[in-house]
Amino acid sequence: MEGSDKALSYSRVELIDFEGVPLVHFITDSWENIKNFQARPDDILIATYPKAGTTWVSYILDLLYFGNTSSERQTSLPIYLRVPFLEANIPKMPSGVELADKLSTTPRLIKTHLPVQLVPKSFWEQNCRVVYVARNAKDNAVSYYHFDRMNMIAPEPGDWNTYLQRFMDGRTMYGPWYDHVRGYWEKKQTYTNLHYMFFEDMVEDTGREVEHLCSFLGLSTSTEERKRITKGTHFDAMKQNNMTNYSTVPVMDFKISPFMRKGKVGDWKNHFTVAQNEQFDKHYKQKMKSTTLQFRTQI
Ligand code: A3P
């Protein structure tokens, strides 16, 4: 079966409230396993609100640690198997916890979209390094909308106007963007092993961001090596690469929208009407008034 035909055999799910966060039963059904996940001190947790650049930073980390190991890893192991998605528990696929438990690499790179308060406590107890990537709310909403249209197990997105309202109300999977980005930002004030990155900075100067990441991780890489990684993780290269473009995942229908869609800062301008933008800005100001966290909606 082609990817899109396979995607048709999945069905969309409803959001359910879980400890005040909208999640789906795939996650809550196996919550005990997720909550009790045993992190190791050298694990690296990649945490993001969905569509903030998770795959991009995952691939950068994968190349930093394992880019010079077996070429088989680079040619035949998709990114979602190299970097397990901790809370994923999708039918007919191994769960994130199972994949992470089986990982033989050191460090283990593990991805999550869980808001900070739901991250399994062993990550904090083990003082694991956490790489958080945040993306401005407007582009994040647009990207999430297109993703929910093509991800056949996501809750039904409805039309753009309905979706935007839901995003503002925090009724998308993983809850309010506002709480997510602020939750990790606040955590960083007391938890020093957290590196907070911005999608916009990565687009502006990937090489600089890779360098900052390396100093956080204590990795000494040569300028050449960093250049190679920056080139290999460019949007066009990742879009062409079947190991990073999600073309091997059955639940996504690329006929609706590709996973590697645009990779730009400012695509929101092609989606927001003037009225939507005004309403969004007003609401945003209110939601983000008591934080030092700043985003760029254009570069
Ligand atoms: P768009 O939908 O705006 O194109 P995630 O990996 O968290 O699901 O995020 C996916 C978003 O990151 C998509 O955004 C995707 O195109 C973008 N992205 C992934 N890799 C990228 C890269 N190398 N450069 C720029 N954007 C990238």
Side-chain angles (χ1 to χ4, degrees):
M1 269 198 283
E2 290 297 310
S4 55
D5 296 333
K6 274 195 201 151
L8 292 175
S9 63
Y10 286 90
S11 50
R12 291 187 177 276
V13 292
E14 298 287 327
L15 287 176
I16 42 180
D17 181 86
F18 181 77
E19 300 189 11
V21 179
L23 292 179
V24 292
H25 76 86
F26 295 136
I27 297 175
T28 56
D29 287 351
S30 57
W31 186 249
E32 284 304 303
N33 286 340
I34 298 163
K35 182 177 147 193
N36 295 322
F37 179 74
Q38 287 306 303
R40 299 180 196 148
D42 45 20
D43 286 346
I44 299 176
L45 186 67
I46 299 163
T48 58
Y49 191 73
K51 313 318 288 174
T54 333
T55 316
W56 193 4
V57 86
S58 297
Y59 190 39
I60 290 174
L61 282 166
D62 179 70
L63 289 180
L64 280 171
Y65 283 101
F66 310 114
N68 294 325
T69 57
S70 84
S71 65
E72 202 191 326
R73 180 181 177 88
Q74 297 307 327
T75 54
S76 53
L77 197 60
I79 193 70
Y80 52 85
L81 296 180
R82 296 183 211 180
V83 182
F85 182 8
L86 183 65
E87 65 271 20
N89 188 22
I90 299 165
K92 298 173 227 166
M93 291 170 82
S95 77
V97 168
E98 274 163 14
L99 287 173
D101 281 339
K102 272 200 251 149
L103 271 190
S104 57
T105 57
T106 307
R108 298 188 299 184
L109 305 174
I110 299 169
K111 148 186 162 180
T112 188
H113 292 315
L114 290 171
V116 72
Q117 73 276 16
L118 292 182
V119 168
K121 68 177 187 317
S122 63
F123 284 100
W124 313 118
E125 287 167 355
Q126 298 291 343
N127 198 28
C128 296
R129 281 165 298 178
V130 178
V131 175
Y132 186 78
V133 190
R135 185 177 193 182
N136 81 76
K138 292 179 183 178
D139 283 326
N140 207 139
V142 168
S143 184
Y144 209 173
Y145 168 63
H146 288 294
F147 182 70
D148 279 358
R149 290 194 314 119
M150 61 80 118
N151 176 11
M152 292 303 155
I153 55 169
E156 183 65 52
D159 64 15
W160 164 242
N161 195 51
T162 312
Y163 191 83
L164 185 61
Q165 193 56 56
R166 276 184 37 211
F167 183 91
M168 288 163 66
D169 294 344
R171 288 183 291 113
T172 44
M173 192 165 151
Y174 295 105
W177 172 93
Y178 314 89
D179 294 355
H180 207 283
V181 295
R182 288 177 61 164
Y184 281 90
W185 184 251
E186 276 149 31
K187 183 79 183 175
K188 176 183 140 71
Q189 314 310 319
T190 52
Y191 185 84
T192 49
N193 256 354
L194 196 157
H195 183 60
Y196 202 105
M197 302 177 70
F198 295 92
F199 181 89
E200 295 72 29
D201 292 348
M202 288 170 69
V203 172
E204 183 178 64
D205 190 341
T206 313
R208 177 193 64 204
E209 295 308 308
V210 171
E211 207 175 326
H212 290 166
L213 195 52
C214 288
S215 42
F216 167 70
L217 299 167
L219 291 176
S220 53
T221 45
S222 64
T223 312
E224 282 314 301
E225 178 76 357
R226 287 199 302 274
K227 268 195 190 149
R228 210 168 50 79
I229 290 174
T230 301
K231 198 167 159 219
T233 61
H234 188 273
F235 180 83
D236 299 333
M238 283 183 62
K239 192 175 171 80
Q240 294 305 317
N241 183 344
N242 284 341
M243 295 299 108
T244 58
N245 63 14
Y246 276 79
S247 57
T248 51
V249 165
V251 298
M252 298 178 188
D253 189 345
F254 281 22
K255 284 187 192 141
I256 298 176
S257 181
F259 182 87
M260 297 291 298
R261 198 182 57 90
K262 288 195 180 171
K264 298 257 190 278
V265 180
D267 187 41
W268 63 270
K269 292 177 190 166
N270 299 315
H271 291 75
F272 282 62
T273 63
V274 172
Q276 283 169 343
N277 196 36
E278 277 172 9
Q279 197 203 353
F280 192 92
D281 283 347
K282 205 167 147 215
H283 176 259
Y284 185 93
K285 235 189 206 161
Q286 192 60 29
K287 283 281 186 195
M288 300 294 277
K289 67 173 181 235
S290 58
T291 178
T292 52
L293 185 55
Q294 299 284 333
F295 284 89
R296 292 189 289 168
T297 51
Q298 54 188 21
I299 52 171

